[in-house]
Amino acid sequence: EIFGPDAPMFNNLLWEPARGSLKLTLQDEAGILTGQPVVFSFSVKNPAVLSAGVTPSIGAVSSTVIIGVTTMSGLVLAADNQPQFTAAAVAESSSVQLSFNTLMFLLAANTPIPAGATVVITGLTNSRPLPSAMYALS
């Protein structure tokens, strides 16, 4: 499925993963006008192994025009990052000795973290334990 502002211009989507080919047929009566930017998106799954990525090509054929194959700008499907936190920050409500202190965490990752995963935060030393009832998540 394609989506985005200009996705309705197309129909007859044909995705051939073995060939790495996406074929779209224009259904819009006007087609694509000279100089008209066309914006749409298509979701795929990145490779399971490290990959340097690819630079796709594009071309178009109709009964009245042939646009030869041209290399596109942009590198895609570069599965060259390990899963990691892209944001990991902590702040506190108080730095006064022996006062209650609420720690606030901000986390974001470059991949989904599934239900059932365990997130471990270490290095929280030099603190005094609170009664166990105060550790409940809310």
Side-chain angles (χ1 to χ4, degrees):
E1 173 186 7
I2 63 170
F3 50 95
D6 295 315
M9 294 176 70
F10 301 98
N11 65 8
N12 297 331
L13 167 73
L14 177 61
W15 167 237
E16 298 179 69
R19 294 183 61 208
S21 175
L22 175 63
K23 294 180 182 179
L24 305 162
T25 303
L26 277 163
Q27 71 175 357
D28 193 330
E29 227 175 86
I32 299 174
L33 304 175
T34 302
Q36 176 185 1
V38 176
V39 179
F40 64 91
S41 300
F42 177 68
S43 294
V44 296
K45 192 170 193 174
N46 276 338
V49 296
L50 292 179
S51 167
V54 296
T55 303
S57 300
I58 188 169
V61 177
S62 77
S63 61
T64 59
V65 69
I66 297 175
I67 299 176
V69 175
T70 303
T71 301
M72 302 178 83
S73 63
L75 184 68
V76 295
L77 301 173
D80 59 356
N81 285 325
Q82 296 293 323
Q84 61 187 356
F85 284 104
T86 55
V90 62
E92 63 184 351
S93 63
S94 174
S95 61
V96 176
Q97 294 177 0
L98 296 176
S99 67
F100 287 104
N101 191 1
T102 300
L103 303 181
M104 297 149 287
F105 298 90
L106 168 68
L107 307 174
N110 65 355
T111 190
I113 300 174
T118 301
V119 175
V120 179
I121 298 169
T122 60
L124 299 173
T125 58
N126 297 327
S127 64
R128 296 183 63 169
L130 295 174
S132 61
M134 299 201 55
Y135 290 119
L137 293 177
S138 59

